[in-house]
Amino acid sequence: MIYDVINFILNLTFKKKINFIKLKLSYHLSSILKKPVILGYPYSLAIETTTNCNLSCPECFSGNKLFTRPTGNMQISMYKKIINEVSPYLLYLLLYFQGEPFLHPELFTMITLAKQKRIYTAISTNGHFFSYKNSKNTIESGLDRIIISVDGITPDTYKIYRKGGDLQKVINGIKRLISWKKKQKSKTPYIIIQSLIMQQNQHQKKEMYSFFKQLGVDKVVFKSMQIDQYQEGNPLMPTIEKYSRYKKKKCGSYIIKNQLKNRCWRMWSSAVVTQNGIIIPCCFDKDAKYGFGNFAESSLKDIWKNNEYNKFRTGILRSRKKINICCNCTEGMNRIIIK
């Protein structure tokens, strides 16, 4: 954990520090004035390398092929343009939004390009592609962090959510990745196992934690599950309320625990870019309903402070509950449960 923090700090530059301070200042000023004040550029970015996935998870847009927007792989030329524009300000890059990043044929080139720009780079994956070659390339690429989703410690529990997945293949791949990390005497990537807590695996939490820590991963995180249509309940919802994003009302329906205050740090600090270059507000806009501009046609500086983006920010500051993608948001509340 200490090395991971140090590794992040080593990517800081004077310009990035000043930009972060500007973002914090503009966010607090905007909250007070109730109108957007934009003084910096995003310090964090999620880039969708691909919308393709090998699994069919029930609450996933990619797995259920629900997109009405363009799908496919991001072109490497588009990626280079984005990285060149954001690198002076960017502290954290997540090569994931929808889809499985390891299905992109040039993923390791993408990692290398980001690392050359001194950007702390992370990936979130379902863990099915840690072959001998991929495991070796992952370590050698310089990737800083990898988040591997594993939602159960037994095959029967695991397949409830990870439809089409193979738990043993994932475990073998994690072992292979850890082995290569040791062989290369590398302190990166920082390996995190992330597990969605649902009714079917809530009793396995301690067992999952012990198993993966003994395996040699750096951290195990338990995350509350986002459910699209939660109002009438869902079989995946945990029965232990502290593990759920939702709570049951006396009438039997469910509401989100978050009070949805009229502010959101994400709108000042970060953004998401789809595989075809559209900038959207955050990871809750899975079908890119709120596109503010496209890297294919405009620059980051033009998009980040344009009228459409600021109109959306104004809506956040005045009545966040009226914005549909915000209604299932957990920004500002404790949605991560860490052992």
Side-chain angles (χ1 to χ4, degrees):
M1 180 64 180
I2 295 175
Y3 181 81
D4 186 53
V5 174
I6 294 171
N7 185 35
F8 181 83
I9 293 172
L10 289 175
N11 289 286
L12 288 172
T13 64
F14 179 76
K15 191 170 186 176
K16 291 179 180 180
K17 292 176 185 177
I18 295 300
N19 180 68
F20 185 82
I21 293 170
K22 286 181 177 180
L23 289 174
K24 278 290 186 181
L25 178 60
S26 60
Y27 170 65
H28 290 299
L29 283 173
S30 300
S31 297
I32 294 168
L33 299 173
K34 296 300 177 183
K35 66 178 182 179
V37 177
I38 310 298
L39 300 176
Y41 295 96
Y43 85 89
S44 175
L45 198 68
I47 293 181
E48 182 179 64
T49 60
T50 182
T51 56
N52 300 321
C53 190
N54 56 308
L55 302 184
S56 302
C57 304
E59 292 292 322
C60 178
F61 251 68
S62 180
N64 289 287
K65 297 178 173 58
L66 297 174
F67 298 115
T68 60
R69 62 180 173 90
T71 57
N73 293 336
M74 175 172 279
Q75 297 296 313
I76 195 68
S77 57
M78 171 69 75
Y79 178 80
K80 288 179 180 178
K81 182 179 187 297
I82 296 168
I83 291 299
N84 287 335
E85 288 191 23
V86 303
S87 60
Y89 317 100
L90 209 63
L91 293 172
Y92 183 88
L93 173 66
L94 176 63
L95 292 175
Y96 169 77
F97 172 36
Q98 299 294 297
E100 168 52 51
F102 278 88
L103 289 176
H104 196 292
E106 297 182 272
L107 176 64
F108 295 112
T109 299
M110 290 176 160
I111 297 169
T112 300
L113 289 170
K115 292 306 301 171
Q116 288 173 351
K117 298 289 187 179
R118 288 184 66 182
I119 302 170
Y120 184 99
T121 306
I123 283 179
S124 183
T125 173
N126 61 45
H128 282 80
F129 298 95
F130 295 128
S131 62
Y132 179 93
K133 182 179 179 181
N134 279 349
S135 298
K136 182 174 183 289
N137 287 343
T138 299
I139 304 303
E140 294 180 346
S141 70
L143 182 70
D144 296 292
R145 174 177 293 200
I146 189 162
I147 303 164
I148 307 167
S149 296
V150 189
D151 311 312
I153 200 64
T154 61
D156 287 343
T157 304
Y158 176 81
K159 69 182 181 182
I160 289 170
Y161 191 75
R162 300 291 163 180
K163 302 289 186 182
D166 184 334
L167 177 61
Q168 193 56 53
K169 184 176 182 179
V170 173
I171 291 173
N172 291 341
I174 294 169
K175 290 178 179 178
R176 199 174 290 120
L177 185 67
I178 293 170
S179 176
W180 265 109
K181 187 176 175 181
K182 290 178 179 178
K183 284 180 183 178
Q184 300 288 75
K185 297 180 180 179
S186 176
K187 293 184 177 180
T188 59
Y190 190 70
I191 302 173
I192 300 174
I193 299 298
Q194 178 176 278
S195 182
L196 294 174
I197 293 295
M198 53 189 177
Q199 184 176 152
Q200 293 82 359
N201 72 359
Q202 61 187 12
H203 63 287
Q204 295 180 339
K205 184 170 171 284
K206 290 183 179 180
E207 189 181 352
M208 281 191 284
Y209 179 84
S210 298
F211 177 82
F212 287 110
K213 287 299 287 183
Q214 289 174 11
L215 211 60
V217 305
D218 296 296
K219 190 175 184 179
V220 180
V221 174
F222 298 96
K223 182 179 177 181
S224 60
M225 178 177 285
Q226 178 191 342
I227 294 172
D228 187 31
Q229 301 297 325
Y230 61 82
Q231 291 83 356
E232 300 304 318
N234 186 293
L236 295 172
M237 277 187 181
T239 56
I240 302 173
E241 190 177 295
K242 70 177 181 179
Y243 295 157
S244 178
R245 300 187 185 195
Y246 316 97
K247 62 181 179 181
K248 194 173 185 178
K249 298 194 295 183
K250 290 181 179 180
C251 63
S253 63
Y254 289 81
I255 58 171
I256 193 166
K257 292 177 181 177
N258 195 0
Q259 296 179 4
L260 293 178
K261 295 179 180 180
N262 292 330
R263 59 176 182 264
C264 181
W265 169 233
R266 292 182 185 180
M267 295 305 100
W268 278 257
S269 65
S270 61
V272 175
V273 184
T274 65
Q275 60 82 26
N276 61 330
I278 298 174
I279 292 188
I280 58 176
C282 70
C283 61
F284 283 90
D285 190 11
K286 301 186 190 315
D287 205 27
K289 298 297 185 184
Y290 296 92
F292 303 128
N294 196 316
F295 271 104
E297 302 163 354
S298 304
S299 68
L300 171 69
K301 291 184 178 181
D302 290 334
I303 299 169
W304 186 244
K305 300 180 181 182
N306 70 21
N307 290 334
E308 286 300 308
Y309 221 137
N310 281 334
K311 183 179 177 181
F312 188 87
R313 292 186 179 107
T314 299
I316 293 285
L317 293 168
R318 294 182 180 177
S319 186
R320 189 176 167 204
K321 291 180 180 179
K322 291 182 180 180
I323 301 174
N324 61 350
I325 64 168
C326 294
C327 293
N328 205 358
C329 180
T330 50
E331 180 74 4
M333 67 176 283
N334 183 21
R335 67 184 180 90
I336 305 296
I337 306 155
I338 304 175
K339 173 70 177 179

